[in-house]
Amino acid sequence: MEAAAQRGLRFQAGWELEFVLSPADGRPLPTGPAYGPVALLSVDEFAADLLQDLEANGLRIGQLHAEYGPAQFELSLAPADPLRAADEQLLARQTVHAAARAHGLRASFAPLVTTTGVGNGWHLHTSVWRDGRNLLPGTGDHGLSPEGEGYLAGLLRELPALTALTAPSVPSSARLRPGYWSSAYAIWGVQNREAALRYIPGTPLLGADQANVELKPSDASANPYLALAAVIAAGLAGVEEKLSLPAPVQDNPGTWSEEQRAAAGVHRLPATPAEQAAALERSTLLQAALGPAAYGAFRAVRDADRAWAAERSAEEVVEAHLWKY
């Protein structure tokens, strides 16, 4: 943030938090049509109290709604400066846990709650500003300004290494697979929900300043401060270097053949913890942003996690992480 301020830039950030509710007594929660009111009605008292608790804790909420997965819900936090956004992400997590417990429920923010389900993402939305103006929208290609294109291009260049920090647990990389709405490929797109980097333009109703970039390979196992530091460093480098973007991908590359993906230059994001570690090891930019002490500690923890998981089944790994976050 200080490096950005020296260049006259500031950032806004906010998360969407997906979580699964489970009754403490083990009875299954009713599940209704995806995004419909039936699932939310099944936890109506919890939802009402949660919204009151969030407001009492000073948290600004965009919406709370039922999500796609069984007993899955999503909470959207309003954007803030990065430090406040990270603080509020942790406070919101704790508030959800406390409200769930008060109603005989347990909340799991784990990247995977089963080995076959869609899992929970904590999608990170960011934007870059100068003199009170959002620099993302503009009159260039795809509705971006030159600075906005540079910001997105910086994120895209570092995306494989970024996921090592924004989706760092062993179940995280297992979640980033084709066909599960987890954005498994290193692509960007305009309003493409299959893109790992989704550019969301402003609208006539909300205004151009609402434009933001959604980073989808992000989940609750990430340290929000390290994750945002990496995102800011990557985006800032893209702005400074005036990077340009390839053509956006407006489709789901998971439905393409290997030959089609190769022709389009579309590659999978790191699919294992070892691949994530290798990608981060190649990123001198992100290592410098973290500093040697934080980077060394992060690598030591993740290396230990990887070694632990190597001796266990996928089911055991998912179960061990179910209530950690």
Side-chain angles (χ1 to χ4, degrees):
M1 290 171 65
E2 291 175 355
Q6 291 171 3
R7 295 158 177 80
L9 301 175
R10 67 179 182 88
F11 292 84
Q12 291 273 286
W15 270 273
E16 296 172 328
L17 318 181
E18 291 179 345
F19 59 95
V20 169
L21 287 174
S22 174
D25 61 11
R27 291 179 301 164
L29 281 175
T31 56
Y35 312 112
V38 175
L40 196 60
L41 186 62
S42 68
V43 292
D44 187 57
E45 295 82 4
F46 158 79
D49 286 350
L50 173 60
L51 290 173
Q52 292 177 2
D53 292 345
L54 291 165
E55 183 177 10
N57 284 343
L59 293 167
R60 299 156 301 141
I61 305 304
Q63 64 179 9
L64 170 67
H65 66 99
E67 253 291 349
Y68 178 80
Q72 187 181 47
F73 305 88
E74 182 178 80
L75 178 71
S76 301
L77 295 172
D81 73 80
L83 185 58
R84 178 176 175 178
D87 290 345
E88 291 189 343
Q89 188 242 62
L90 294 178
L91 179 57
R93 179 196 315 237
Q94 193 74 358
T95 305
V96 172
H97 278 308
R101 186 182 65 175
H103 286 270
L105 301 169
R106 297 182 79 182
S108 175
F109 299 113
L112 286 177
V113 294
T114 69
T115 57
T116 58
V118 294
N120 293 314
W122 280 29
H123 302 159
L124 174 57
H125 294 254
T126 58
S127 55
V128 57
W129 297 67
R130 179 185 287 121
D131 297 330
R133 182 175 66 88
N134 188 341
L135 294 183
L136 291 178
T139 58
D141 291 342
H142 319 297
L144 288 161
S145 71
E147 295 94 341
E149 181 174 3
Y151 179 69
L152 254 167
L155 296 180
L156 184 63
R157 180 177 66 180
E158 299 295 330
L159 191 55
L162 273 176
T163 63
L165 292 159
T166 61
S169 70
V170 176
S172 297
S173 53
R175 188 181 76 88
L176 301 181
R177 54 194 170 180
Y180 284 81
W181 293 3
S182 60
S183 304
Y185 294 93
I187 60 170
W188 83 281
V190 181
Q191 287 288 31
N192 179 6
R193 294 182 181 275
E194 290 292 340
L197 286 171
R198 174 188 172 215
Y199 176 54
I200 305 171
T203 65
L205 176 63
L206 298 177
D209 277 351
Q210 296 298 311
N212 65 88
V213 179
E214 180 183 21
L215 174 64
K216 300 196 74 174
S218 172
D219 64 51
S221 68
N223 178 311
Y225 304 96
L226 298 186
L228 272 173
V231 167
I232 291 171
L236 188 59
V239 173
E240 289 192 310
E241 297 175 38
K242 297 181 171 60
L243 297 182
S244 57
L245 285 165
V249 176
Q250 298 298 103
D251 198 2
N252 177 8
T255 64
W256 299 357
S257 67
E258 290 287 353
E259 292 75 18
Q260 287 174 309
R261 287 192 288 268
V266 171
H267 305 285
R268 275 286 301 271
L269 288 169
T272 66
E275 290 179 7
Q276 283 188 335
L280 187 56
E281 187 67 24
R282 291 190 295 268
S283 178
T284 55
L285 175 69
L286 297 191
Q287 289 182 44
L290 298 183
Y295 176 66
F298 179 86
R299 280 297 307 271
V301 170
R302 294 308 168 192
D303 288 347
D305 282 355
R306 186 169 68 248
W308 172 87
E311 301 176 354
R312 289 162 175 82
S313 68
E315 289 77 12
E316 288 177 304
V317 171
V318 169
E319 180 65 26
H321 287 79
L322 190 56
W323 307 113
K324 282 190 177 296
Y325 310 112

